[in-house]
PDB file of all heavy atoms in Angstrom:
ATOM      1  N   ALA Q  95      94.006 101.426  97.153  1.00  0.00           N
ATOM      2  CA  ALA Q  95      92.857 100.869  96.429  1.00  0.00           C
ATOM      3  C   ALA Q  95      91.586 101.628  96.805  1.00  0.00           C
ATOM      4  O   ALA Q  95      91.453 102.126  97.932  1.00  0.00           O
ATOM      5  CB  ALA Q  95      92.691  99.385  96.726  1.00  0.00           C
ATOM      6  N   ASN Q  96      90.653 101.715  95.853  1.00  0.00           N
ATOM      7  CA  ASN Q  96      89.382 102.420  96.057  1.00  0.00           C
ATOM      8  C   ASN Q  96      88.213 101.454  95.971  1.00  0.00           C
ATOM      9  O   ASN Q  96      88.318 100.391  95.362  1.00  0.00           O
ATOM     10  CB  ASN Q  96      89.167 103.486  94.971  1.00  0.00           C
ATOM     11  CG  ASN Q  96      90.328 104.426  94.822  1.00  0.00           C
ATOM     12  OD1 ASN Q  96      90.880 104.883  95.807  1.00  0.00           O
ATOM     13  ND2 ASN Q  96      90.696 104.705  93.591  1.00  0.00           N
ATOM     14  N   ALA Q  97      87.078 101.869  96.542  1.00  0.00           N
ATOM     15  CA  ALA Q  97      85.845 101.109  96.363  1.00  0.00           C
ATOM     16  C   ALA Q  97      84.654 101.951  96.839  1.00  0.00           C
ATOM     17  O   ALA Q  97      84.808 102.851  97.671  1.00  0.00           O
ATOM     18  CB  ALA Q  97      85.881  99.793  97.118  1.00  0.00           C
ATOM     19  N   GLN Q  98      83.492 101.654  96.287  1.00  0.00           N
ATOM     20  CA  GLN Q  98      82.238 102.284  96.687  1.00  0.00           C
ATOM     21  C   GLN Q  98      81.199 101.201  96.922  1.00  0.00           C
ATOM     22  O   GLN Q  98      81.238 100.153  96.288  1.00  0.00           O
ATOM     23  CB  GLN Q  98      81.724 103.223  95.583  1.00  0.00           C
ATOM     24  CG  GLN Q  98      82.602 104.425  95.330  1.00  0.00           C
ATOM     25  CD  GLN Q  98      82.160 105.219  94.115  1.00  0.00           C
ATOM     26  OE1 GLN Q  98      82.982 105.692  93.330  1.00  0.00           O
ATOM     27  NE2 GLN Q  98      80.854 105.375  93.933  1.00  0.00           N
ATOM     28  N   SER Q  99      80.282 101.475  97.852  1.00  0.00           N
ATOM     29  CA  SER Q  99      79.202 100.519  98.103  1.00  0.00           C
ATOM     30  C   SER Q  99      77.989 101.246  98.669  1.00  0.00           C
ATOM     31  O   SER Q  99      78.115 102.312  99.274  1.00  0.00           O
ATOM     32  CB  SER Q  99      79.662  99.439  99.089  1.00  0.00           C
ATOM     33  OG  SER Q  99      78.694  98.412  99.191  1.00  0.00           O
ATOM     34  N   ILE Q 100      76.821 100.660  98.432  1.00  0.00           N
ATOM     35  CA  ILE Q 100      75.558 101.254  98.893  1.00  0.00           C
ATOM     36  C   ILE Q 100      74.921 100.342  99.931  1.00  0.00           C
ATOM     37  O   ILE Q 100      74.935  99.113  99.797  1.00  0.00           O
ATOM     38  CB  ILE Q 100      74.593 101.439  97.699  1.00  0.00           C
ATOM     39  CG1 ILE Q 100      75.197 102.412  96.681  1.00  0.00           C
ATOM     40  CG2 ILE Q 100      73.226 101.936  98.177  1.00  0.00           C
ATOM     41  CD1 ILE Q 100      74.402 102.515  95.383  1.00  0.00           C
ATOM     42  N   GLY Q 101      74.379 100.948 100.972  1.00  0.00           N
ATOM     43  CA  GLY Q 101      73.700 100.177 102.011  1.00  0.00           C
ATOM     44  C   GLY Q 101      72.550 100.964 102.603  1.00  0.00           C
ATOM     45  O   GLY Q 101      72.426 102.167 102.390  1.00  0.00           O
ATOM     46  N   GLU Q 102      71.727 100.273 103.383  1.00  0.00           N
ATOM     47  CA  GLU Q 102      70.592 100.941 104.021  1.00  0.00           C
ATOM     48  C   GLU Q 102      71.057 101.901 105.101  1.00  0.00           C
ATOM     49  O   GLU Q 102      70.364 102.853 105.426  1.00  0.00           O
ATOM     50  CB  GLU Q 102      69.632  99.902 104.604  1.00  0.00           C
ATOM     51  CG  GLU Q 102      68.910  99.073 103.539  1.00  0.00           C
ATOM     52  CD  GLU Q 102      67.904  98.126 104.146  1.00  0.00           C
ATOM     53  OE1 GLU Q 102      67.792  98.084 105.396  1.00  0.00           O
ATOM     54  OE2 GLU Q 102      67.211  97.433 103.378  1.00  0.00           O
ATOM     55  N   ASN Q 103      72.241 101.620 105.653  1.00  0.00           N
ATOM     56  CA  ASN Q 103      72.802 102.541 106.648  1.00  0.00           C
ATOM     57  C   ASN Q 103      74.294 102.718 106.387  1.00  0.00           C
ATOM     58  O   ASN Q 103      74.914 101.970 105.615  1.00  0.00           O
ATOM     59  CB  ASN Q 103      72.544 102.040 108.079  1.00  0.00           C
ATOM     60  CG  ASN Q 103      73.143 100.663 108.316  1.00  0.00           C
ATOM     61  OD1 ASN Q 103      74.357 100.493 108.315  1.00  0.00           O
ATOM     62  ND2 ASN Q 103      72.278  99.668 108.517  1.00  0.00           N
TER      63      ASN Q 103
END
Side-chain angles (χ1 to χ4, degrees):
N96 308 317
Q98 294 172 220
S99 188
I100 298 172
E102 292 184 358
N103 59 67

